[in-house]
Every structure is written in structure tokens, then in C-alpha cells.
Amino acid sequence: MSSNVADIALVMDQFSQSSRHNSHIESLIARARSGDAWAFDQLMIAHQQRVMATAWRMLGNVEDARDAAQEVFLRLYKHLPKYDARQEFAGWLYRIVINVCHDVARKRGNRHASFEAEQEAGQLPILLSKDDSEHAAMRAEEQKIVMRALSTLTEKERAVIVLRDLEGISTEEVAKILGSTPTTVRSQISTARTKIKLYRDCFLKGGIRK
Amino acid sequence: MINCEKAERLIPLFVEADLEATEQQAVSQHLDICLTCRNLAAEFQSSQTWIQAMGVPAFDERLLADLRNAVQQNVAKPKLEIASVFLPLWNWKFALAGAVALLLLVSGILMQARVGSEHQPQVAAGIPSNVATQQLITDAKIAEKKQASSVFVQHRATSKTIPAHQRKRDLGEAPASETPVAGVDPGIVATAETTASATAVNASLADFLTLAPSTPPEMAAKSETKVAEPEMLRMEIQTADPNIRIIWLTPKEPPARANGVAEPK
């Protein structure tokens, strides 16, 4: 009984925090729309990690991700007056991120991300982990293989996997962000997960070298 | 209850509960009784865990600060570029009207240049085209009246003695011998240095002469007594060059054709 009460209290607390966070973001958006540079800076601080992470997962290297993030915030500033407060801000921002990443990927053409080169140059982002250095190295190796697996997907498949499986957004929300239908998104998710599983199976069986 | 084939198709979505509630339930029931599909679902679950274990990357704070600064600088930069000045005026209607006006202007200039080039030679000669044509026709008629008797008779007379020579001179070809032909006014006959237009007229005359029945010189006297020569029409055309005059001899009526010679069409 006491456990249930604690769970309810935790959920209520999270809801309260989320609600405060949302109202804080809305306040920043309103101020940024009226030209408040500080409010816009705070808005960037609140979303920079998420934007960078999504761009990096989509594009596969830090340099392109940084360029994409810069373009995302410029577009955000430009289109902020058109933002409809009735829609979720995060979803609207994700849509900008995905569109910018598609543009960047198109511009770079067939140039594939070189995770090995980034790793050698020490540019790979550090994963948030409390692991020791040995474990961190193993995780970095795993990360490299996962990124390779992601690189086998098409742009659309990669976008749905990044949003659904790595960002944890629901299928319906992903469909809204990508301007698609839930059925199409499910089909793309199914294909992408099958490809990733096949890649991992090949890797585990030794068919793919590290 | 669903079969294995359908279950295999739904398992990639089942592992993350992306199916509708009924389908999720159906797959779950199938996995309870099918070991193969249960193993497949476990593999997919493992793959999902593997990819999600990638974690959240933490980017360097300095990198993020540089990113924000770059954005703020771009945002704060006053945009007084030419494009931004004209952008509010930009409208597709204006663009279309401008393109049409430009097209009309260019086509007008081209047309003017073309018309000018057509009139230029006649203007340079100082004679308008219709006046020049009328003058040539009048000259031809006068020449015909004046020389109908004398020159035509002379032509007939010379054609008896030196028909080839006369024809060659009429054709503008160099004669075999430069001996002047008695009774023929040298000014009437076209000179050998003909222009391109004169050559064209001579070519058509040559066609006519080729198609006309040829009479050997030894038979000429005989044939003259028996067969009447066709009545000839002589036309003289003075070209812009005073040294060049075109003479055209043609029968008033089509000559009788020899057997086996096709009528010209």
C-alpha cells in the first residue's frame, strides 16, 4: 500500500516537473518571439543536447551534426513567429531537425560518415555513463558498430529508428513529425529493425569485421 | 489465431509494442505455442536492447557554447544584402511581366534588324524594288519593239552560220574564236563575266536549248525551206550593273518536239 502511494507521488512529481518545464519553455518561446535574445539563448540551452544528439545519430559525425544544429537554431529563430502554440514544441523542433538533416545529407552526397576516423581523432561524443574507462572503451566499440548498422538504413528508415527507438517517441508522434501516416511509419520501422538485426547477426557470427 | 508467417511479419513491431492491441494479443498468443517464433522474438528483443544501449551522447560544453555563439551572431547580424532589400518587392507577377517585356523588346530589335537588312541593298542602289522591276519590263518591251525586225533577223541569220557560237555567247560561255559576229550588236549580248543571277538565267536558257531539236549545220538550209522557224520572243533585262544585260530568247509558242523527247514539265 505504501509502495503504491510512493509510486503515485513519484508520478505526480514527474507530472508536476514536466508541467513546470513546459510552462517555462512556453514562457521562453513567447519572449523569444518578441525579440528577447536572452530567452532565445535559454531556449537553445534547453534543447541543444537533444538537437545535437539527433543530428549526430542521423548524420553520423560531429562536424555535420554541429552544422545541422546551427542551421536548426537559425531556422527556429526565423520561423518562431509562425509557431502555433497549440502543437507540441518538441515535435515541431524535431521536424526542423529531421528536415535539416535530410538537407545536409543531400548536400554531402555520397560522403559516408567515417566513425573510425572520428574515433581516431577523438571527436566521438562521450556517452553519459558512470562506467570505468575499460567499460567505456567497450561501449565506444559497441557504439561504433551500432552507428555502422544505422548507416545501412535509408534516410527515412534511419529517421524513424532514431525518433522511435533512440528518442523514444511514439509511432503516432513520429508520423506527425515526418508528415506521414502511422501505417507507413510502422512499415518503415519493421524494415529498419529487421535490417539492424541482420547486421548484428552477421557481426556476431563474424561476418563483419570490427 | 495467426500462423507463423504472419507472426514473423509482426514480431519486429511486437517487441516494442507498436502493434494495435488486437494484433499484439494475437502475436502474444502465437508465441505461447510456437518455439521458433518465440526465439525470433527474443532475437529481435536482444537487437533492440543492443541498439538502445547506445546511450545518450554528451557533447563537449565548449562545442555547444560555440554553436550558440555562432547562432546568436548570425541572428544579430543586420541583413542589408541586396537580395533582402528587393525581397519584399519580389512577386511572381512582376517577374512574369518583366520576362514578357524583355522578350518583346528582344524580338522587336531582331525584327527591326531583319527588315533593315532586306531593304538595305535596294536603298543603296537608289531604286525601290517595284520601280526597278517595272523599269526592267518597260526596257524589255521597248527593246523588243525596236529590234524585233532587225536584231531578230540578224539572230536568225547568224544562227544559220554560227549557231554554236551564238548559243555559247548567249550562254555566257567563252567563244572558241574571238572573231566578232557580223551584224550583231556587241552591247546586246551579255558579256562572259556574268553575275550569279545572269548565270541562273543562262542555265534555264541552256535547258531550253538542250531540249530544243538540234539541227545539224549541213541540214540547216534544207530544213529552213521545209520547216518554218518558230517565232521568237527576245527579252532584254538591264541589271543594276550597267555592263551586264540579260538577253532571253524564247519561242512565243512551244516548239514542236521530236519523237522520243519528253515534254518538259
Side-chain angles (χ1 to χ4, degrees), chain A residues 3-20:
Chain A
S3 169
N4 286 344
V5 170
D7 286 348
I8 291 167
L10 185 65
V11 168
M12 289 293 286
D13 185 48
Q14 284 176 348
F15 179 76
S16 173
Q17 281 181 6
S18 171
S19 183
R20 276 203 302 274

Side-chain angles (χ1 to χ4, degrees), chain A residues 197-208:
Chain A
K197 178 188 168 294
L198 286 172
Y199 187 91
R200 181 172 173 265
D201 290 348
C202 283
F203 174 73
L204 291 176
K205 287 174 188 170
I208 298 167

Side-chain angles (χ1 to χ4, degrees), chain B residues 5-257:
Chain B
E5 192 184 346
K6 189 170 183 183
E8 283 173 13
R9 214 170 53 246
L10 296 175
I11 281 170
L13 296 170
F14 169 81
V15 292
E16 292 290 342
D18 288 315
L19 294 169
E20 301 291 335
T22 51
E23 285 179 325
Q24 195 79 15
Q25 183 69 25
V27 174
S28 181
Q29 285 174 356
H30 179 81
L31 295 184
D32 287 342
I33 59 164
C34 179
L35 181 63
T36 311
C37 289
R38 198 158 58 236
N39 287 340
L40 183 67
E43 285 174 14
F44 265 101
Q45 190 64 59
S46 176
S47 173
Q48 284 301 108
T49 309
W50 176 71
I51 197 167
Q52 285 165 359
M54 188 180 177
V56 181
F59 297 96
D60 185 17
E61 188 53 41
R62 199 175 52 198
L63 174 82
L64 297 172
D66 288 347
L67 167 68
R68 288 199 309 276
N69 286 336
V71 173
Q72 290 285 15
Q73 281 173 8
N74 263 291
V75 165
K77 195 189 291 177
K79 291 183 178 177
L80 287 174
E81 295 166 3
I82 295 171
S84 65
V85 170
F86 287 102
L87 206 59
L89 300 174
W90 180 253
N91 190 318
W92 70 270
K93 288 177 184 172
F94 289 134
L96 185 64
V100 169
L102 189 65
L103 193 65
L104 285 173
L105 184 68
V106 170
S107 58
I109 290 168
L110 288 175
M111 196 169 283
Q112 185 69 27
R114 193 173 175 179
V115 169
S117 65
E118 280 175 0
H119 282 289
Q120 200 169 5
Q122 289 161 6
V123 171
I127 306 167
S129 59
N130 53 350
V131 175
T133 312
Q134 195 66 36
Q135 183 69 36
L136 288 173
I137 291 166
T138 312
D139 287 348
K141 282 180 180 176
I142 292 166
E144 187 187 357
K145 282 179 182 175
K146 280 183 179 176
Q147 299 170 355
S149 56
S150 62
V151 178
F152 180 58
V153 171
Q154 286 166 6
H155 172 71
R156 283 177 60 192
T158 52
S159 67
K160 281 181 193 174
T161 52
I162 44 170
H165 177 82
Q166 178 64 38
R167 283 176 184 176
K168 279 183 180 179
R169 291 200 66 168
D170 285 346
L171 286 168
E173 294 173 11
S177 64
E178 288 300 322
T179 50
V181 181
V184 177
D185 183 6
I188 296 170
V189 182
T191 57
E193 296 83 22
T194 54
T195 59
S197 58
T199 308
V201 172
N202 287 336
S204 59
L205 183 60
D207 289 341
F208 167 72
L209 292 172
T210 309
L211 289 168
S214 59
T215 308
E218 60 271 17
M219 296 291 291
K222 193 178 178 182
S223 63
E224 190 185 18
T225 54
K226 291 180 180 177
V227 181
E229 284 268 340
E231 198 175 353
M232 300 298 282
L233 176 66
R234 182 186 179 99
M235 289 181 69
E236 290 185 23
I237 301 170
Q238 179 62 53
T239 62
D241 188 346
N243 297 321
I244 300 172
R245 187 181 294 172
I246 299 164
I247 302 168
W248 189 305
L249 288 170
T250 179
K252 283 188 175 177
E253 290 175 3
R257 300 288 169 188

